[in-house]
Amino acid sequence: MIEKYSEIVGEAEIDALFRIAEKLKDLSILHVNSTKAGGGVAEILNRMVPLMKELGLNVDWKVIRGDNEFFKVTKSFHNSLQNGVGSLPENAFKTYEKWQEVNAGEIPLDYDIVMIHDPQPLGLIDFKKKGNWIWRCHIDISNPYLPVWNFLKEKVSKYDAMIVSAPVFARDDVETPQFVIPPSIDPLSVKNKPIPPVTVRRVLYKYGIDLDKPLIVQISRFDYAKDPIGAIRAFKIAKRHVDMQFAYVGSPATDDPEGEEVYKKVVKEAEGEKDVKLLMLPPYSDLEINAFQTGASVVLQKSIKEGFGLTVSEAMWKRKVVIGGRTGGIPLQIIHNMTGYLVDSVEGAAHYIVHTIRNPKVAEEIGKNAREHVRNNFVITRHMREYLMVMAHVTKRGNP
């Protein structure tokens, strides 16, 4: 399977992967995160872990568990780290610590390399048995709510390395060595490989999409950070100028108890708009997501906070014009006017929706640039190589 990537990234990249993996072959590696499905972290691990095994690595993936109270706490951590303000449930830190201990008793932590993803399982470091530990932070921590950050920072300081997705997320108040590694997409996955036009039409028809009308799409969780209400408002403004339709396509995640509350508010915002479709697809609806992105005239990612936003690269890979919020990791992917459009407001998003639909030649050129930008920077082989280089560094098997 891994050889197939050489057609996309070249033989040299595949060679580099095998050479760096050779240095780590006798070590055991564990990834830990908070959900098996839903969201970019689970999606990357679902693709990356089998590829790492194919490189000959001894790698496992474990998911922590918790009750609703725990995930309310970790969602409040997530929001407060990204927004700089906090509203924590009662006894939040105590609940967090309790579930770290529970999970430490259930997950074997005696691996040579442990990579912990995001804040939810970060506290497992307190139960470290051996090996080198790496904290992989996928969210924006550039302006955190200090009570939460200071609580977590003590744990971060016990790690051998920390990885963030963008330079702006790096912290100058921790001594743990930091690395910048943007996430990636898998161009050979069901979600990203080319699918026949007839499949695209069939899927869109199934979900009530008018095949003769321009389609605006946002693929995101129902999460305030993704600004679903702003996305609908941008569509409403744009529709005054061009007849079009909008599909907001989300899916549930077990570690996000806030999703239902956001969904209800979005339903209210869309009330009475016959050209707005709100869809909650089950996890692993990869073919459907592919069809919506492929069939879209414009893809929105109107986030107001974003760690990276894999859906941006996914759509760019399909040569789509993506209009993204100027936040977090989105500007790494969208170079304004070259590989897409960056916006700071609802009105800005509406303007570029109309502009894209009215200027198909410009859209085609931007789509072409977008795909090349993804090929050069955001494909899973590069991502995996950089992870292995950090692992080699912390285990003193090589320098990054």
Side-chain angles (χ1 to χ4, degrees):
M1 179 68 183
I2 203 160
E3 297 296 341
K4 292 183 180 175
Y5 292 86
S6 63
E7 296 172 13
I8 297 168
V9 298
E11 292 289 349
E13 178 74 346
I14 306 303
D15 267 2
L17 270 175
F18 276 99
R19 276 189 278 115
I20 189 84
E22 186 66 32
K23 295 172 182 284
L24 303 169
K25 271 190 173 172
D26 60 326
L27 301 177
S28 56
I29 301 169
L30 175 67
H31 289 278
V32 182
N33 80 318
S34 62
T35 178
K36 197 77 178 172
V41 179
E43 182 168 333
I44 290 168
L45 290 174
N46 267 307
R47 300 298 298 180
M48 188 178 283
V49 169
L51 288 174
M52 283 184 162
K53 287 182 177 174
E54 206 176 317
L55 290 171
L57 295 169
N58 176 17
V59 57
D60 281 334
W61 172 20
K62 304 288 183 188
V63 176
I64 60 166
R65 69 182 185 93
D67 59 6
N68 196 47
E69 187 184 8
F70 171 68
F71 286 119
K72 276 185 181 172
V73 167
T74 56
K75 182 67 180 184
S76 74
F77 281 12
H78 177 98
N79 290 342
S80 64
L81 289 170
Q82 291 213 128
N83 300 332
V85 292
S87 174
L88 305 181
E90 194 176 346
N91 298 320
F93 297 143
K94 194 174 170 185
T95 301
Y96 182 86
E97 298 284 27
K98 181 185 88 176
W99 279 99
Q100 301 304 308
E101 187 174 356
V102 169
N103 281 290
E106 297 177 353
I107 296 176
L109 298 174
D110 53 346
Y111 285 72
D112 297 314
I113 301 169
V114 178
M115 184 174 280
I116 298 289
H117 294 262
D118 274 336
Q120 295 96 327
L122 173 63
L124 289 176
I125 186 73
D126 291 336
F127 305 90
K128 174 180 173 178
K129 293 176 180 170
K130 60 175 276 195
N132 297 103
W133 285 50
I134 301 164
W135 183 46
R136 200 320 173 201
C137 178
H138 294 269
I139 64 175
D140 180 350
I141 52 169
S142 58
N143 179 34
Y145 178 57
L146 285 178
V148 171
W149 173 244
N150 288 336
F151 170 72
L152 297 177
K153 190 173 72 174
E154 281 189 27
K155 301 179 187 305
V156 173
S157 69
K158 298 174 185 175
Y159 280 76
D160 298 292
M162 164 181 164
I163 299 172
V164 293
S165 296
V168 70
F169 300 162
R171 300 290 312 174
D172 59 9
D173 58 352
V174 292
E175 292 186 4
T176 306
Q178 297 174 60
F179 299 85
V180 177
I181 301 180
S184 61
I185 64 161
D186 185 343
L188 300 183
S189 67
V190 172
K191 191 190 266 187
N192 293 310
K193 66 184 182 184
I195 53 175
V198 66
T199 306
V200 174
R201 288 196 297 273
R202 189 170 61 239
V203 171
L204 296 185
Y205 181 77
K206 175 183 167 186
Y207 288 99
I209 302 299
D210 182 341
L211 303 178
D212 297 321
K213 197 184 281 192
L215 173 63
I216 316 305
V217 168
Q218 176 157 321
I219 312 283
S220 286
R221 286 187 190 193
F222 287 90
D223 184 320
Y224 292 118
K226 313 296 183 184
D227 197 16
I229 291 173
I232 292 173
R233 288 178 181 168
F235 164 75
K236 287 178 179 174
I237 296 171
K239 191 173 162 53
R240 294 176 198 159
H241 304 277
V242 179
D243 189 22
M244 61 179 80
Q245 57 197 324
F246 178 64
Y248 192 102
V249 184
S251 63
T254 54
D255 64 345
D256 186 5
E258 199 176 59
E260 189 177 341
E261 170 193 314
V262 178
Y263 179 74
K264 287 177 182 171
K265 290 187 178 178
V266 175
V267 168
K268 194 170 179 187
E269 181 65 33
E271 228 167 43
E273 286 288 338
K274 67 179 177 57
D275 285 322
V276 174
K277 306 282 184 198
L278 302 178
L279 303 174
M280 184 74 88
L281 301 186
Y284 306 113
S285 299
D286 290 354
L287 179 66
E288 287 79 4
I289 299 296
N290 189 337
F292 271 96
Q293 289 171 331
T294 303
S297 307
V298 178
V299 174
L300 275 185
Q301 190 59 54
K302 175 69 189 67
S303 303
I304 49 179
K305 282 288 178 181
E306 189 65 75
F308 184 71
L310 283 182
T311 50
V312 174
S313 277
E314 289 167 7
M316 289 169 67
W317 179 246
K318 300 174 182 79
R319 298 185 175 86
K320 297 297 167 180
V321 172
V322 183
I323 300 168
R326 196 189 308 271
T327 184
I330 293 179
L332 294 177
Q333 301 167 81
I334 297 179
I335 302 168
H336 188 65
N337 271 331
M338 287 188 66
T339 67
Y341 297 112
L342 291 170
V343 296
D344 301 292
S345 66
V346 165
E347 292 76 15
H351 167 77
Y352 283 111
I353 290 172
V354 175
H355 176 75
T356 301
I357 291 176
R358 285 182 173 168
N359 295 278
K361 285 189 178 174
V362 175
E364 185 181 346
E365 187 63 27
I366 284 181
K368 189 176 158 189
N369 295 341
R371 183 176 171 95
E372 276 312 292
H373 190 52
V374 172
R375 185 202 306 278
N376 292 329
N377 297 285
F378 305 116
V379 170
I380 194 167
T381 45
R382 183 276 307 157
H383 191 181
M384 192 159 47
R385 173 172 49 79
E386 291 179 347
Y387 272 4
L388 297 184
M389 290 168 76
V390 173
M391 291 176 185
H393 174 71
V394 297
T395 55
K396 300 185 175 19
R397 298 291 180 94
N399 292 315

